[in-house]
């Protein structure tokens, strides 16, 4: 993956609270308030992912509770919306790791296209803490699945020409 592809994938790893509610509310034909209430009642889904802040199109950071934080907590934003409060459009920059949320909703039986999940880049956390066990286990599963998909891909014609004797490594080749 090149540097430009890495930069382009940053916003694709993120789903804002507002976008999540819009998607869920439209799929389930409900209001944003009811959708937020559903997520608060099913908080385990949100606890299996990372809370993120998209500071700009090139900066995605994990949310940390801090008295000096300029950004609100994504779960607190959901609680505010669930209680009927008005949300600030500025909250479009608080959210979660997109792929993990989509995978969790798919597991619960919601109609999430497999292609959408497959084409969503994985958010890979740079930090580790004791209470993040579920997130890291799921992150490893995602990485393993990505590696398996990459192994199944046929090398491009250019790669075949550049890598001498690649046919000997290709299980589908008669020269294997």
């Amino acid at each position: 993956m090149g540097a430009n592809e890495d930069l382009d994938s940053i916003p694709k790893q993120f789903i804002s609270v507002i976008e999540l509610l819009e998607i869920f509310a439209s799929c389930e034909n409900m209001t944003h308030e009811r959708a937020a209430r559903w997520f608060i009642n099913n908080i385990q889904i949100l606890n299996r992912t990372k809370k993120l802040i998209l500071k700009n199109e090139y900066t995605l950071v994990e949310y940390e509770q801090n008295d000096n934080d300029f950004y609100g907590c994504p779960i607190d934003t959901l609680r505010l919306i669930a209680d009927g409060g008005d949300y600030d459009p500025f909250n479009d920059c608080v959210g979660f790791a997109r792929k993990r949320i989509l995978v969790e909703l798919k597991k619960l039986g919601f109609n999430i296209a497999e292609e959408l999940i497959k084409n969503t880049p994985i958010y890979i956390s740079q930090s580790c803490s004791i209470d993040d066990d579920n997130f890291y286990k799921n992150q490893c599963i995602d990485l393993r699945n990505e590696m398996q998909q990459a192994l199944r891909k046929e090398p491009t014609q250019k790669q075949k020409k550049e890598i001498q004797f690649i046919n000997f490594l290709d299980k589908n080749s008669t020269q294997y």
Side-chain angles (χ1 to χ4, degrees), residues 22 45 77 82 96 121 153 159 169:
E22 285 174 359
I45 292 170
T77 302
F96 304 95
K153 288 182 181 176
Q159 287 173 327
L169 300 174

Side-chain angles (χ1 to χ4, degrees), residues 27-110:
C27 285
E28 294 300 306
N29 199 21
M30 62 175 62
T31 64
H32 286 194
E33 185 178 314
R34 283 192 60 215
R37 204 171 304 127
W38 186 89
F39 277 105
I40 294 302
N41 290 335
N42 294 282
I43 196 87
Q44 71 276 9
I45 292 170
L46 303 175
N47 288 336
R48 290 188 193 121
T49 186
K50 284 292 188 178
K51 296 182 271 303
L52 301 173
I53 307 288
L54 184 64
K55 291 190 172 186
N56 60 49
E57 63 182 300
Y58 304 114
T59 309
L60 183 62
V61 296
E62 292 179 21
Y63 172 80
E64 292 181 28
Q65 189 65 40
N66 185 338
D67 294 336
N68 298 325
D69 268 349
F70 184 67
Y71 303 95
C73 175
I75 293 177
D76 290 345
T77 302
L78 280 169
R79 282 193 182 106
L80 175 70
I81 296 168
D83 291 339
D86 290 332
Y87 55 89
D88 187 353
F90 183 68
N91 287 333
D92 273 352
C93 64
V94 298
F96 304 95
R98 178 182 293 269
K99 187 162 194 156
R100 178 59 24 213
I101 289 281
L102 294 175
V103 167
E104 293 300 325
L105 290 174
K106 176 95 174 161
K107 281 182 188 176
L108 289 174
F110 291 98

